[in-house]
Amino acid sequence: MKYEVSGSDWSRDLVARTGPLRREWQVTVDDVTHTLLVEGLEGNQVLRLTVDDTTHTLTLLPGNRPGQPLRFLLDDNYHELMVRDETDLLAELLGGASGAGGREEILSPMPGVIRKLLVEPGQVVAEDEPLLILEAMKMENEVRAPRAGTLSQLLVAEGDTVAAGAALGEIEAGS
Amino acid sequence: MKYEVSGSDWSRDLVARTGPLRREWQVTVDDVTHTLLVEGLEGNQVLRLTVDDTTHTLTLLPGNRPGQPLRFLLDDNYHELMVRDETDLLAELLGGASGAGGREEILSPMPGVIRKLLVEPGQVVAEDEPLLILEAMKMENEVRAPRAGTLSQLLVAEGDTVAAGAALGEIEAGS
Amino acid sequence: MSKRKITKLLVANRGEIAVRVCQTCRELGIATVTVFSDADADAVHRYASDESIALGGNTPAESYLDVAKLLAAVADSGADAVHPGYGFLSENADFSAAVEAAGALFVGPTAEHINAMGDKVEARRRMIAAGVPVTPGSDGPVTDGKELTAAANEIGFPLLVKAAGGGGGKGIRRVNNAGELEAAWQRAVSEAGSAFGDARVYLERLVEPARHIEAQVLGDGHGGALFLGERECSLQRKHQKLVEETPSPVIDEAQRAELREAAIAGVTALKYRGAGTMEFLYDENRREFYFLEMNTRLQVEHPVTEMVTGLDLVHEQLLIAEGTRFGDRTEPELNGHSIEFRVYAEDPYRGFVPSTGKIQALRLPHSPFGRIDAALRDGMEVSPFYDPMLGKVIVWGPTRDAAIRRLRAMLSRTRIGGIHTTVPLGIEICNWDDFVQGTFHTQSLEAYLDREHLPIAPPPLPVQLAAVVARAFTAKAGAAEAASLATPPTAGNPWQQAARLEGSKRVTR
Amino acid sequence: MSKRKITKLLVANRGEIAVRVCQTCRELGIATVTVFSDADADAVHRYASDESIALGGNTPAESYLDVAKLLAAVADSGADAVHPGYGFLSENADFSAAVEAAGALFVGPTAEHINAMGDKVEARRRMIAAGVPVTPGSDGPVTDGKELTAAANEIGFPLLVKAAGGGGGKGIRRVNNAGELEAAWQRAVSEAGSAFGDARVYLERLVEPARHIEAQVLGDGHGGALFLGERECSLQRKHQKLVEETPSPVIDEAQRAELREAAIAGVTALKYRGAGTMEFLYDENRREFYFLEMNTRLQVEHPVTEMVTGLDLVHEQLLIAEGTRFGDRTEPELNGHSIEFRVYAEDPYRGFVPSTGKIQALRLPHSPFGRIDAALRDGMEVSPFYDPMLGKVIVWGPTRDAAIRRLRAMLSRTRIGGIHTTVPLGIEICNWDDFVQGTFHTQSLEAYLDREHLPIAPPPLPVQLAAVVARAFTAKAGAAEAASLATPPTAGNPWQQAARLEGSKRVTR
C-alpha cells in the first residue's frame, strides 16, 4: 500500500508491505526500506513498534477519519499528520473539491442537548455565524455555520438530545 | 429448592424460591420468610444482597465443590459453611459412605512438578504417609496418603508437570 | 452544638468525589450511602458505598440537584450525616438547612456561611470588614445599564462580569471594552438566572497577568481556624483549572505568612465551620494578594494539601461536623511538594470539545508517592450529562522537580482509551519550560495551546512510520467506532473540516 | 570508581519488582529493558519497560536464573546497568561480577559483599568482628555427625539448621530435640545443595518467642552509611513474611539508637555498597538484638521505609551504583507509620496451598496514602513457576492505628477474583487484637491460623442467606471453572476431603 504523509508545507511518500499475520512490516521511505515489528496490545488500541532495535509505543486516539489529520501518541508524545492512502488519493482525484458548491450538512460536534436555536429555516447565514447553543457536560457551546448560504433545513428543536455527528440541519449555497 | 446449612455441630433447613430473572429471592428459615434482592456484578463473582434494607457484598471464592464446606466472603469477612441442596442430600443417601472401602485416587492438591517419589507401586502405605514431593511456586510440598492401603497405581514420574486435581495414583484397601 | 458521632453518611454526589468520601468513611467504620441517576446506574461510585439509592432521571436537575429526592434518600437510608462533595448542592444553603432540619449533620458550613460566601457581593463586604484585601470592583450587584456604565468606568477595562451566585470558574465573562459591556452583562444575567437561580451579577477589575493562589483553611465553627498552606492554580483554561500544586513556586515564607494572616482573619471573622478555600488573585509584580471568593466546600484539588500535610481532609470535615473543636491544635508542617493534574473527557487539541463514549484499555497505575482519584472502570460509558472531569492524577515529591518528574512518569503510564482526555496534554505540560520553571500565570496555558498542530517539517522517521501503522489500524477499526466519536464524518478536505470544528466555540458560564 | 551516568537499565527480574524498578527509571529518564520467560510472554512487567527481551523457558533455571541468557540480553540491548530486583540472581556474586566484567554497572553490592554476607557463617564472623551482637550458634558449617552433635549440645534445643547459602526464610529447618537432629541435618544438606548450589549448613539457637526486626541501610561503598529506620516483620508463617511495618510497635528511641549503631557498624566495616537489610532477632524480654543475616539487595518490604522517609529506595540504589558518595548527607526524619501486607496466590484457609488460574474481577484501589505494588492484569494467568507473591498493599498513616484502619479499608476494596489470595486473611489480621495491640511475635500468626473454620454455632441470618446464594451461584459457574481450581473434585464426605487436603504438608526450604 502506498501512503502520503504530509504536514503543513511538506509531504512524503511511503510504501508499506505487511508480512504474514501483519506482524512484520517493510516500509520504504526515500528508497530506504525499514523493517518494522508491529505488536498489538489491548485490542490493538496500543501497539508496540520496533524499528532498528528500538521499541516505541503507539497509542491510537479515537475519532480519526479519512480526510482529517491523523492523531496519535508515540512514546507519550502527541502527533498530528495528514496520512492518505491510495484509496484516499484516488477518491480526492475523482471527487474534486466536494462541498465547495451545493449544500452542506450541519453536524453536531459533540453529544448534548439543544439549548437554544439562534436562527430559523430559510434564514440567510454568514460563515461562522452562531446557529444554535448546544449544552454538553455543563457547558454551553455555540455551533456555528460551516459555510455561508441559506439554512435550508433545521432538524432539531430546543430540548432535543443529540448524538455526536448527528445532522442538525443543512445549508444551501446562495441566498 | 431446599437447602441444609450446617456447621460443626448444628444444621438448619432453608427453602429458597427465586423470582423472575433470579433477582428477587424468598428464603424461609424457621418459618419466617425473608425477601432477598440479589444483584450480580463482575460476571456474578461479586453479588450484592439486600436483606431487610441492608445491603451486603458477597464475594465468591474459587474451588467450591459439592460435598465440601462452601467458602465465601460476606462484607469482607471470610466464612465457611456446609451447604447441601436437595440433590446433594439425595446423592448422599443413595451413595452411602463412598470411598470407605474399595479404592481411592490420589489427586494433586495443586499444580506443580513432581520432584521426588517416596514410594513404589505395590507398596503398603499408612494413612498420612508421605508419597511424593511436589514442587510448586518455589516450595516443596509433601503429598500424603489419603488412606491406608496398597499403592495399586502410580501415574507420574519424577520431573512430570501436573495440573491441580490431576490423578497421581491410586490406593486400594488392604495390604 | 454538642458532639455527635456520625454512623451512616449519605454522599449527595457522584464520580470520584463520592468514591473519595466513601474511602474515608470505610476507614472510620462509618456506613455509606450513595445515590445515582439513571445514567449512572452502572457508575463506579454506586459500588463504593454500602448502600446506593436510585434517584432516577439523567440531567443534574432530575437527580443530583433534586433536593426533595435527596432528602427522601436520607430519610429512607437512615443516614445521620450528608456529605455534599463539590459542585451540585455543595454550596446550596437551602440544602444545608434542609439536611439539618431533617435532623442529619451537614458535612460543610452552615446555611448562613454558604449564603454569605456564595453571594460574591456579600462575601466581598464581609472580607473587607475582616481586613482581607480584595480586588477593586462594583460595590454590589449591577442592576441597570446606568449603574453598569458608571461602575465599569470607575473600574476600567478589561474587567470581569461575574455572577453573584457562581463559583468554580463558572459564571464569569470577560469584557475587553465598553462596546462589549452591555451585551456581556445581559448574557451574564440570563445565564446566571438559569444556571444558578440567581440573576445578580457584579463587576470586578481583571488583574492581568495574575496568578490564582488559594488558601486551604479549616474552621471549627467556634472561631477556631487552621491554615493548611496554599495551592497554586494558575494553570487554567477559560477558568477551568488543569494543574494545581502546593507550595506555589513563586511565594516565599513571608508571603505565605501574609496569605495565612488574611485567611485566618476571614475564617475567624465568619466563625466558619468546615473545610474551605479562600481564592486569591496574586499580582506577581506588586507581590499583592486580592481576595477573589471563598469556596465553602471541599475543593477538587484538596489532595495536594493532603500530600504535604499528611492529613485526610475528608476526615477533618467529618470531625468538624461531629462538633470537634480545635482547641490548642497546631497547624501541620508542610512537607515537600505535591502536584495534581486533572483528567477531563475532552479533546485538548480540538478546543477541549467534550468526548464521550466507552472507556477501553484503562490503566490507572500505582506508583510510590502517586495517587489517582477517579471513578473509572474499563467498559464504562462516559455520558454527556455531567462534568467532564474523570479524575485526578496526584503526586508527591521531596522537591518540585522530583514531583514533576513523577507526574510525567505517572501520566505516561496512565491510559484511558476509547475517548479523548487531557492526559497527553498533561505529559506535554510536564515538559513545558514555563511549567518546569514555574514562570506561568492564568493566561499562560491558553497562549501555549494556541498553535498549529500539523508539523511544519517532517518529524523523525519513527513518527512517520507510526503514522502509517496508525492509519492502517484506524482503517481496520472501521464503522463500529464511528458511533461514539466526537468528530463527525465528513466529505471535503481536512482544512474545511478543521474550520468547521473550530466553528464550535465553547461558552463558559 | 568514577561517577558514571546510567542511561539504559536492564531489570533481571519479573513481577511487581520489575515494574517498580521501571517506574523509577521512567521518572529519571533512564531507558529500561525487561526480560521474560515463555510463561511470562504476556506478563505485566514486560510492558512496563521500553524494551523486553525473550529468555525462553518456563522454570527459573531456564530463564531468570540463566546468567548466560541475561548477559546476552545486556549485550543485545546495550544496557549500561543491571538491576537484579530481589530473589533470583540478586544475591548471586558470580552474576554481580559477570555484569561488571561485561562493562555494565550492577545495581547492588560487589561480588565480595554478596559472598561475605551470602555465606551465613562468614557473615557471622564479620559481624562479630565489627562488634555487632549475634545469636549463639556453631562457629562454622557443620560437616560431619560428630561436629553436629557437639555443636547442638553446646547451643541447646530447640535449634535451627540453616543453609549457609540460604536466605529470605528459605533453607531453615527447626530441630526440637536430639532425636530429630541427624535426619534434619541430612535433609537440609541435600536441599541446600539442590536449591542453593551450596550444601553447607550451620546451627543457631532458636530464640523463642522472638521478634523479627530489621534495619534498612544504605552504603555508598566508601564507608558512608545511612540508617533508614527499622522494619518489624514478626508476622510470618513458616518464615514467610506476611505483614511488615515501620516503626516497630515495641522498640523505643533508645533501642532504635542501639539498632542503628549496630547497623551502621556493620555497613561501615564492610564498606558496603547499595541498599541492604540487616535482619535481627529481637528478644523482647531481654530487650536484646541478635544479628541474623544481611540481605544484600532491595527487600520486598522496602515500601514501608519509603513511606516514612519520603525516599525512593530504587533511586537511592541507582545513585549509589553511579558512584554518588554520601558526604555529609544526613539521615531522613522518620515520619508517621507505614504497613505493608503481602498478597500471595495462596489459600490461607487451607494451609496456604498455592492457587493458580486466571485472575478475574480485578480491582486494585487507589486511596490517599495508599499504594499497591503489583504486576497484575484482569484475565492474567497465575502460573505455577514462580514465587506466589502477587504484590503488596502498602499504607501510611500519621499513627499506627490510622495506618491499620487504612490498610483494612484498602484491603476490603481490593479484589483479586478467580484464585485464592491472602487478601481475606489480611482483613482479618487488621481486626485481630494481637495485631492491633502490637503484641505478637514470630510464632503468633501460625498459632492464630491453627483453628477450626466451620462455625460451632449458627452465624447471623445474612450469613446463612448468603451461603445459600453462594451455593446457587457456584452451581451455575459449573464445569468451566473446575479446570483452574486448586482443590480436586472428590467423592466421599467433606471431612475425609478436608483431611486429604491437610495431607499435603508444605516443606519450606
Side-chain angles (χ1 to χ4, degrees):
Chain A
M1 178 69 92
K2 256 174 75 179
Y3 292 90
E4 184 203 81
V5 175
S6 60
S8 74
D9 201 19
W10 57 271
S11 80
R12 186 157 291 194
D13 290 326
L14 290 86
V15 178
R17 280 173 218 87
T18 61
L21 298 172
R22 298 178 68 100
R23 267 185 60 96
E24 201 175 301
W25 294 45
Q26 306 288 337
V27 185
T28 308
V29 198
D30 290 339
D31 298 330
V32 184
T33 299
H34 304 266
T35 300
L36 195 65
L37 225 73
V38 179
E39 189 184 0
L41 310 175
E42 304 273 4
N44 288 339
Q45 299 242 359
V46 180
L47 299 136
R48 288 238 158 179
L49 311 186
T50 306
V51 197
D52 302 332
D53 282 342
T54 307
T55 303
H56 301 272
T57 304
L58 166 65
T59 307
L60 300 184
L61 293 174
N64 280 319
R65 286 271 158 279
Q68 288 181 29
L70 187 78
R71 309 165 61 200
F72 57 92
L73 306 180
L74 189 69
D75 295 335
D76 314 325
N77 293 314
Y78 174 76
H79 296 278
E80 281 189 21
L81 285 170
M82 283 303 304
V83 187
R84 295 178 178 85
D85 66 14
E86 283 159 14
T87 327
D88 299 333
L89 293 167
L90 195 67
E92 277 178 38
L93 271 175
L94 294 176
S98 81
R103 55 181 83 178
E104 183 158 349
E105 275 191 310
I106 303 153
L107 303 173
S108 175
M110 66 195 84
V113 176
I114 306 295
R115 264 300 153 240
K116 192 165 188 171
L117 298 175
L118 306 172
V119 289
E120 280 173 27
Q123 195 172 323
V124 175
V125 296
E127 186 175 338
D128 219 28
E129 183 177 331
L131 303 177
L132 52 85
I133 290 178
L134 178 69
E135 181 171 325
M137 288 176 175
K138 285 172 50 186
M139 303 289 281
E140 291 187 359
N141 303 276
E142 289 177 357
V143 175
R144 295 174 177 229
R147 54 166 297 167
T150 303
L151 187 72
S152 51
Q153 277 195 69
L154 197 52
L155 301 166
V156 289
E158 289 180 8
D160 283 4
T161 300
V162 295
L168 306 175
E170 198 177 62
I171 297 179
E172 265 181 38
S175 57
Chain B
M1 176 70 92
K2 258 174 74 178
Y3 293 90
E4 182 204 82
V5 174
S6 61
S8 73
D9 201 21
W10 57 272
S11 80
R12 187 157 293 195
D13 291 325
L14 290 87
V15 178
R17 281 171 217 88
T18 61
L21 298 173
R22 297 177 69 98
R23 269 186 61 96
E24 202 176 300
W25 294 45
Q26 305 287 339
V27 185
T28 308
V29 198
D30 290 339
D31 298 328
V32 184
T33 299
H34 305 266
T35 300
L36 195 65
L37 223 72
V38 179
E39 187 184 2
L41 310 176
E42 303 271 5
N44 288 339
Q45 299 244 0
V46 181
L47 299 137
R48 289 237 158 180
L49 312 186
T50 306
V51 197
D52 301 331
D53 281 341
T54 307
T55 303
H56 301 272
T57 303
L58 166 65
T59 307
L60 301 184
L61 293 174
N64 281 319
R65 287 271 157 277
Q68 288 181 29
L70 187 78
R71 309 165 61 202
F72 57 93
L73 306 181
L74 190 68
D75 296 334
D76 315 325
N77 293 314
Y78 173 78
H79 296 278
E80 280 188 23
L81 286 169
M82 282 303 305
V83 186
R84 294 178 178 82
D85 66 14
E86 283 161 13
T87 328
D88 299 332
L89 294 167
L90 197 67
E92 276 177 38
L93 272 175
L94 294 176
S98 82
R103 57 181 81 182
E104 184 156 348
E105 274 190 311
I106 303 153
L107 302 173
S108 176
M110 66 194 83
V113 177
I114 306 296
R115 263 300 151 243
K116 195 166 185 169
L117 298 175
L118 305 170
V119 290
E120 281 173 27
Q123 196 173 321
V124 175
V125 294
E127 186 176 337
D128 218 28
E129 184 177 330
L131 302 177
L132 53 84
I133 290 177
L134 179 69
E135 180 171 325
M137 290 177 174
K138 287 172 51 185
M139 304 289 280
E140 290 188 0
N141 304 276
E142 289 179 357
V143 175
R144 295 172 176 231
R147 54 167 296 167
T150 304
L151 187 71
S152 52
Q153 279 195 70
L154 197 50
L155 301 166
V156 289
E158 289 179 9
D160 283 4
T161 300
V162 296
L168 306 174
E170 200 177 63
I171 296 178
E172 266 181 40
S175 56
Chain C
M1 198 195 328
S2 63
K3 270 197 82 159
R4 257 171 70 182
K5 265 288 186 220
I6 297 172
T7 62
K8 189 172 193 174
L9 180 140
L10 182 139
V11 190
N13 215 302
R14 65 181 297 281
E16 67 94 13
I17 192 62
V19 173
R20 171 71 191 81
V21 172
C22 290
Q23 281 168 8
T24 293
C25 290
R26 189 174 279 236
E27 288 179 14
L28 301 174
I30 296 171
T32 48
V33 185
T34 51
V35 290
F36 62 97
S37 66
D38 286 347
D40 275 344
D42 201 32
V44 170
H45 77 271
R46 227 199 114 167
Y47 301 107
S49 59
D50 299 310
E51 289 174 51
S52 200
I53 295 177
L55 299 175
N58 283 321
T59 65
E62 296 164 342
S63 52
Y64 304 103
L65 285 174
D66 188 323
V67 173
K69 284 183 180 172
L70 289 164
L71 291 176
V74 172
D76 283 357
S77 63
D80 50 18
V82 174
H83 194 300
Y86 52 69
F88 294 124
L89 295 170
S90 61
E91 293 177 294
N92 183 309
D94 293 343
F95 185 58
S96 168
V99 166
E100 304 229 319
L105 295 173
F106 182 76
V107 181
T110 63
E112 201 270 325
H113 296 144
I114 298 176
N115 272 330
M117 294 295 109
D119 179 339
K120 303 308 166 203
V121 176
E122 173 69 8
R124 271 176 70 90
R125 185 155 43 228
R126 294 230 193 173
M127 286 302 137
I128 292 167
V132 177
V134 300
T135 37
S138 63
D139 285 333
V142 176
T143 49
D144 62 40
K146 216 175 109 190
E147 244 181 74
L148 178 72
T149 315
N153 285 339
E154 200 183 306
I155 294 163
F157 293 95
L159 56 76
L160 296 174
V161 181
K162 303 178 83 168
K170 313 281 184 199
I172 299 175
R173 196 167 281 277
R174 179 200 175 113
V175 179
N176 291 306
N177 51 57
E180 296 177 4
L181 185 64
E182 176 79 17
W185 174 66
Q186 268 171 1
R187 184 77 167 269
V189 167
S190 137
E191 272 187 19
S194 71
F196 311 113
D198 174 357
R200 291 173 310 144
V201 301
Y202 65 105
L203 309 185
E204 206 172 79
R205 181 198 285 172
L206 177 60
V207 179
E208 202 176 37
R211 292 231 176 201
H212 175 127
I213 295 179
E214 59 188 31
Q216 174 69 52
V217 294
L218 298 178
D220 68 4
H222 301 276
L226 297 171
F227 169 73
L228 306 182
E230 82 279 6
R231 288 185 295 254
E232 161 76 59
C233 308
S234 302
L235 270 195
Q236 314 182 335
R237 187 196 149 270
K238 303 202 175 169
H239 299 285
Q240 288 259 43
K241 295 170 186 168
L242 194 61
V243 183
E244 296 106 340
E245 61 185 305
T246 183
S248 163
V250 292
I251 74 169
D252 59 22
E253 278 309 322
Q255 288 161 312
R256 184 167 300 113
E258 219 175 276
L259 184 69
R260 179 185 178 282
E261 200 186 342
I264 294 285
V267 174
T268 308
L270 290 168
K271 292 201 177 175
Y272 184 75
R273 182 186 79 189
T277 298
M278 292 180 62
E279 297 194 343
F280 292 85
L281 276 187
Y282 180 58
D283 187 324
E284 218 178 327
N285 299 323
R286 306 191 201 181
R287 315 192 89 190
E288 273 176 14
F289 292 98
Y290 306 113
F291 172 78
L292 205 57
E293 63 183 37
M294 181 169 188
N295 299 321
T296 55
R297 52 167 163 87
L298 196 65
Q299 203 92 338
V300 173
E301 58 269 28
H302 74 276
V304 297
T305 299
E306 295 183 326
M307 295 299 254
V308 301
T309 59
L311 296 178
D312 173 343
L313 290 190
V314 175
H315 189 185
E316 297 298 334
Q317 287 187 298
L318 300 179
L319 289 172
I320 293 167
E322 288 180 335
T324 311
R325 297 201 186 192
F326 295 157
D328 57 359
R329 181 173 167 186
T330 54
E331 289 171 355
E333 217 181 302
L334 306 174
N335 182 23
H337 199 98
S338 180
I339 312 179
E340 169 180 284
F341 180 76
R342 296 194 188 189
V343 179
Y344 290 98
E346 294 179 335
D347 185 345
Y349 302 107
R350 291 292 184 271
F352 288 78
V353 287
S355 182
T356 58
K358 193 192 276 290
I359 287 179
Q360 297 169 336
L362 182 68
R363 190 171 63 181
L364 299 177
H366 281 263
S367 158
F369 312 111
R371 153 183 171 194
I372 296 180
D373 281 17
L376 296 173
R377 182 178 44 219
D378 229 325
M380 180 187 118
E381 281 289 337
V382 176
S383 80
F385 297 108
Y386 313 108
D387 193 278
M389 204 196 70
L390 297 178
K392 296 119 53 172
V393 177
I394 303 124
V395 296
W396 176 91
T399 62
R400 186 168 188 269
D401 283 347
I404 293 175
R405 282 201 307 266
R406 205 158 267 164
L407 178 61
R408 197 200 166 290
M410 201 147 167
L411 287 172
S412 80
R413 297 171 57 221
T414 300
R415 199 168 52 209
I416 304 171
I419 58 169
H420 285 280
T421 74
T422 49
V423 169
L425 177 61
I427 296 168
E428 238 184 87
I429 287 174
C430 291
N431 294 329
W432 174 35
D433 265 3
D434 278 355
F435 179 63
V436 172
Q437 274 147 43
T439 54
F440 53 84
H441 51 78
T442 52
Q443 307 297 313
S444 304
L445 184 61
E446 283 176 52
Y448 172 74
L449 289 167
D450 183 20
R451 55 170 178 172
E452 186 55 64
H453 292 297
L454 275 180
I456 52 164
L461 180 72
V463 179
Q464 297 181 38
L465 298 180
V468 167
V469 175
R471 177 70 178 81
F473 276 86
T474 300
K476 281 180 76 180
E481 203 193 7
S484 69
L485 297 173
T487 312
T490 180
N493 75 48
W495 305 109
Q496 259 190 333
Q497 181 53 23
R500 178 191 298 184
L501 267 170
E502 276 157 25
S504 159
K505 236 190 208 153
R506 191 85 163 267
V507 181
T508 54
R509 61 160 204 222
Chain D
M1 198 196 325
S2 63
K3 270 197 83 159
R4 258 171 68 181
K5 264 289 185 222
I6 297 172
T7 62
K8 190 172 193 174
L9 180 141
L10 182 140
V11 190
N13 215 301
R14 65 181 298 280
E16 67 93 14
I17 192 62
V19 173
R20 171 72 191 81
V21 172
C22 289
Q23 281 168 6
T24 293
C25 289
R26 188 175 280 236
E27 289 179 15
L28 301 174
I30 296 171
T32 47
V33 186
T34 50
V35 291
F36 62 97
S37 66
D38 286 347
D40 276 344
D42 201 31
V44 171
H45 77 273
R46 231 201 112 167
Y47 299 107
S49 59
D50 299 308
E51 289 173 52
S52 201
I53 295 177
L55 298 174
N58 284 322
T59 65
E62 296 164 340
S63 53
Y64 304 103
L65 286 173
D66 188 322
V67 173
K69 283 182 181 174
L70 289 164
L71 292 176
V74 172
D76 282 357
S77 62
D80 51 18
V82 174
H83 194 299
Y86 52 69
F88 294 124
L89 295 170
S90 62
E91 293 178 294
N92 182 308
D94 294 343
F95 185 58
S96 168
V99 166
E100 304 229 319
L105 294 173
F106 182 76
V107 182
T110 63
E112 202 269 327
H113 297 144
I114 297 176
N115 272 329
M117 294 296 108
D119 179 339
K120 304 304 167 205
V121 176
E122 173 68 10
R124 270 176 71 89
R125 187 155 42 225
R126 293 230 194 173
M127 287 300 137
I128 292 167
V132 176
V134 301
T135 36
S138 63
D139 286 333
V142 176
T143 50
D144 63 39
K146 217 175 106 188
E147 248 181 71
L148 178 72
T149 315
N153 285 340
E154 203 183 302
I155 294 163
F157 294 95
L159 56 75
L160 296 173
V161 181
K162 300 177 86 170
K170 313 281 184 195
I172 300 175
R173 196 167 279 278
R174 181 199 173 111
V175 180
N176 291 307
N177 52 55
E180 296 177 3
L181 185 64
E182 176 79 16
W185 174 65
Q186 268 171 0
R187 184 78 167 268
V189 167
S190 136
E191 272 186 19
S194 71
F196 310 114
D198 174 357
R200 291 173 309 147
V201 302
Y202 65 104
L203 308 186
E204 207 173 80
R205 180 197 287 171
L206 177 61
V207 178
E208 203 176 39
R211 293 233 178 198
H212 175 126
I213 294 178
E214 59 189 29
Q216 174 68 53
V217 294
L218 297 177
D220 68 3
H222 302 274
L226 296 171
F227 170 73
L228 306 182
E230 81 278 6
R231 287 187 295 254
E232 162 76 60
C233 308
S234 301
L235 270 197
Q236 313 181 335
R237 186 195 151 271
K238 303 203 175 170
H239 299 286
Q240 289 259 44
K241 295 169 187 168
L242 194 61
V243 183
E244 297 105 340
E245 61 184 303
T246 184
S248 163
V250 292
I251 74 168
D252 58 21
E253 277 309 320
Q255 288 161 311
R256 185 166 299 113
E258 219 176 276
L259 184 69
R260 179 185 178 281
E261 198 185 344
I264 294 285
V267 174
T268 309
L270 290 169
K271 293 203 175 173
Y272 183 74
R273 184 186 79 189
T277 298
M278 293 181 61
E279 297 194 343
F280 292 85
L281 276 187
Y282 179 59
D283 187 323
E284 217 176 327
N285 299 325
R286 306 192 202 181
R287 315 192 89 192
E288 272 175 16
F289 292 99
Y290 307 112
F291 171 79
L292 207 58
E293 64 183 36
M294 180 168 187
N295 299 320
T296 56
R297 51 166 164 88
L298 196 66
Q299 204 93 336
V300 173
E301 58 269 29
H302 74 275
V304 296
T305 299
E306 295 183 324
M307 296 297 254
V308 300
T309 59
L311 296 179
D312 172 344
L313 290 189
V314 174
H315 189 185
E316 297 298 332
Q317 288 187 298
L318 299 179
L319 289 172
I320 293 167
E322 288 181 335
T324 311
R325 297 201 186 193
F326 295 157
D328 56 359
R329 181 173 166 185
T330 55
E331 288 170 353
E333 217 181 301
L334 306 174
N335 182 22
H337 199 98
S338 180
I339 312 179
E340 170 181 283
F341 179 76
R342 297 194 189 190
V343 179
Y344 290 97
E346 294 180 335
D347 185 346
Y349 302 108
R350 291 293 183 272
F352 288 77
V353 287
S355 181
T356 59
K358 192 191 280 285
I359 286 179
Q360 296 168 337
L362 181 67
R363 190 170 64 179
L364 300 177
H366 282 262
S367 159
F369 311 111
R371 152 183 172 194
I372 296 182
D373 281 16
L376 297 173
R377 182 178 44 218
D378 229 324
M380 180 187 116
E381 281 289 336
V382 177
S383 79
F385 297 106
Y386 313 107
D387 193 279
M389 203 197 71
L390 296 178
K392 297 119 55 174
V393 177
I394 304 125
V395 295
W396 176 90
T399 62
R400 186 169 187 269
D401 282 348
I404 292 175
R405 282 201 308 267
R406 205 158 265 164
L407 178 62
R408 196 200 167 290
M410 201 149 166
L411 286 172
S412 80
R413 297 171 56 221
T414 300
R415 199 167 52 210
I416 305 173
I419 58 169
H420 285 282
T421 74
T422 49
V423 169
L425 177 61
I427 296 168
E428 237 185 89
I429 287 174
C430 290
N431 294 329
W432 173 36
D433 265 2
D434 278 354
F435 179 64
V436 172
Q437 274 147 43
T439 54
F440 54 85
H441 52 77
T442 53
Q443 308 296 314
S444 304
L445 183 61
E446 282 176 53
Y448 172 74
L449 289 168
D450 183 20
R451 57 174 174 167
E452 187 54 64
H453 293 296
L454 275 178
I456 53 166
L461 179 72
V463 179
Q464 297 180 38
L465 299 179
V468 168
V469 175
R471 177 72 177 80
F473 276 87
T474 300
K476 281 180 77 181
E481 203 194 8
S484 69
L485 297 173
T487 312
T490 179
N493 76 47
W495 306 108
Q496 258 188 332
Q497 180 53 21
R500 178 191 298 185
L501 267 171
E502 274 156 28
S504 158
K505 237 195 206 148
R506 190 87 163 264
V507 180
T508 53
R509 62 161 203 224

